Amino acid sequence: MRILDLETPAVVIDRAKVDANLVRAQTYADANGLKLRPHIKTHKLPMFAKLQCELGAVGITCQKVGEAEVMADAGLTDIFIPYNILGSGKLERLSALHRRIRLSVTADSAVTVAGYADRFTDPENPLPVLVECDTGMGRCGVQTADEVVALAQKIEAAPGLRFEGLMTYPPRGRLEAVSQWLHGAIAALKESGLGVNTVSNGGSPDFYGAAAVKCATEHRPGTYIYSDRTQVAFGHGALEDCAFTVLATVVSRPTENRAVIDAGSKTLAADIAPVPGHGHIVEYPDAVIATLSEEHGIVDLSGSTKKPGIGEKVRIVPNHVCPVSNLFDAVHLADGGTVTETVPVAARGRLT
């Protein structure tokens, strides 16, 4: 099938660009002695998770237990879940996963550690737990090196748990500050007699400078596989590197300078980027997707010398690809202008 014969809206994945993005990242990681543990939250596809491991990744990262279950069912055997997992139901599912694969998790509070300790009690098969550190992002994570030590000691004291190390999701553009924070925490742990096996850093925007965080042993990029407008605005490659586009149809031209496409917030999500509009239209780079309603994208054509006609199909690079990927049941893999395969997004909607 030709790409232009797809019913819209539809996601089209350029396989050559995916392969180039994966190889480039793995090459950088290998050259700098970093283990790569890609985050599957972007693609949610077992086939790409397996490809990442075949290229040299040590395992994968999943944000939720449901994603990890899908990946384990598909044959992935080393999964890190960097999330506070709470509640008896989720802990039971986590335990079932732990019996099947190599699994590790995080915690940033004594409450989370206590839940793990109550459910995991076998000293012969302890659950590895990393302490999440807030190195400036302002999301989850302990705030000081003293808190790191206190939580690590609680983990070590639980027979069915093992303190594995540190994890952070860092703020963009602050590599040196992140490095200093983690070095301080490692020093405090060593002073208290605790070793650190893993220091897990994350994110795509600063990935090609990640070697500056010299104490990190692994990195968890996610968006790098596809890239998007936000990553490009952050300096992570060019628009031509973006492998993921949404194919949409112009369904109306009410005025000379307004077009309407069949891709609204239920297709493109509503994330903003450091550049104008809700996505980049490949064929009309000077057009701006100005507003979104649920099923309509309103395109401002006033800055575009050429203008699309009703029925024309256009390709859109999303602002933030991860939530868009989660909105579709399937994606279409393409080589040039031809669809080569249609693949279900196996882990979409796995939010628990």
Side-chain angles (χ1 to χ4, degrees):
M1 178 188 291
R2 296 187 314 148
I3 290 173
L4 292 178
D5 291 333
L6 290 169
E7 292 188 354
T8 62
V11 168
V12 178
I13 308 293
D14 187 313
R15 269 307 305 265
K17 291 181 180 182
V18 164
D19 293 344
N21 291 342
L22 294 183
V23 169
R24 179 187 176 208
Q26 189 65 56
T27 299
Y28 175 85
D30 293 344
N32 288 281
L34 270 176
K35 296 175 183 176
L36 204 62
R37 183 178 290 278
H39 208 313
I40 63 87
K41 69 183 180 67
T42 300
H43 58 75
K44 295 176 173 282
L45 301 175
M47 65 172 289
F48 281 162
K50 290 178 180 179
L51 177 59
Q52 288 168 314
C53 291
E54 289 167 7
L55 289 172
V58 295
I60 61 170
T61 304
C62 296
Q63 200 69 357
K64 295 298 183 71
V65 176
E67 291 178 338
E69 289 168 335
V70 170
M71 294 296 153
D73 288 347
L76 281 300
T77 60
D78 191 327
I79 300 177
F80 177 37
I81 307 177
Y83 208 84
N84 288 302
I85 299 169
L86 301 166
S88 58
K90 288 182 181 177
L91 289 171
E92 179 57 38
R93 291 161 60 200
L94 194 70
S95 177
L97 275 172
H98 182 55
R99 292 192 293 269
R100 299 167 55 194
I101 63 170
R102 186 185 186 283
L103 184 70
S104 53
V105 297
T106 60
D108 74 350
S109 74
V111 173
T112 302
V113 171
Y116 293 155
D118 285 345
R119 188 63 191 80
F120 296 86
T121 57
D122 183 3
E124 299 300 316
N125 186 27
L127 176 70
V129 182
L130 287 76
V131 173
E132 181 167 2
C133 306
D134 180 4
T135 56
M137 185 64 180
R139 197 166 66 180
C140 296
V142 299
Q143 301 298 300
T144 67
D146 288 344
E147 290 180 50
V148 169
V149 172
L151 202 56
Q153 289 171 336
K154 288 184 182 296
I155 294 166
E156 275 294 285
L161 306 180
R162 184 180 78 238
F163 172 62
E164 180 67 18
L166 307 176
M167 167 264 168
T168 189
Y169 185 76
R172 182 176 60 87
R174 296 178 59 189
L175 292 167
E176 183 57 35
V178 171
S179 185
Q180 289 179 5
W181 203 108
L182 293 172
H183 273 296
I186 292 167
L189 286 164
K190 288 181 177 178
E191 208 172 295
S192 71
L194 289 169
V196 178
N197 294 325
T198 301
V199 178
S200 184
N201 197 9
S204 291
D206 285 335
F207 175 65
Y208 289 104
V213 185
K214 297 189 182 300
C215 58
T217 62
E218 70 176 29
H219 201 91
R220 311 180 316 277
T223 314
Y224 80 104
I225 185 171
Y226 292 151
S227 195
D228 56 27
R229 276 185 104 207
T230 299
Q231 298 301 314
V232 172
F234 288 161
H236 185 84
L239 284 168
E240 291 73 26
D241 300 317
C242 295
F244 182 112
T245 55
V246 174
L247 187 70
T249 300
V250 176
V251 295
S252 179
R253 281 288 309 281
T255 71
E256 175 66 15
N257 288 322
R258 184 164 83 242
V260 182
I261 54 176
D262 60 350
S265 61
K266 287 182 176 178
T267 297
L268 296 174
D271 289 31
I272 60 172
V275 283
H278 292 277
H280 169 78
I281 302 178
V282 174
E283 294 81 3
Y284 298 91
D286 295 322
V288 177
I289 304 175
T291 59
L292 300 175
S293 55
E294 291 185 36
E295 304 292 357
H296 299 83
I298 312 304
V299 183
D300 179 0
L301 300 171
S302 59
S304 184
T305 54
K306 59 175 186 173
K307 306 178 193 295
I310 295 173
E312 185 173 344
K313 292 181 179 179
V314 296
R315 295 168 296 157
I316 302 163
V317 178
N319 283 353
H320 185 190
V321 71
C322 303
V324 178
S325 181
N326 191 55
L327 292 171
F328 283 82
D329 290 328
V331 296
H332 305 282
L333 308 183
D335 179 7
T338 303
V339 175
T340 58
E341 188 176 0
T342 298
V343 182
V345 184
R348 77 161 293 231
R350 301 300 178 114
L351 304 178
T352 63

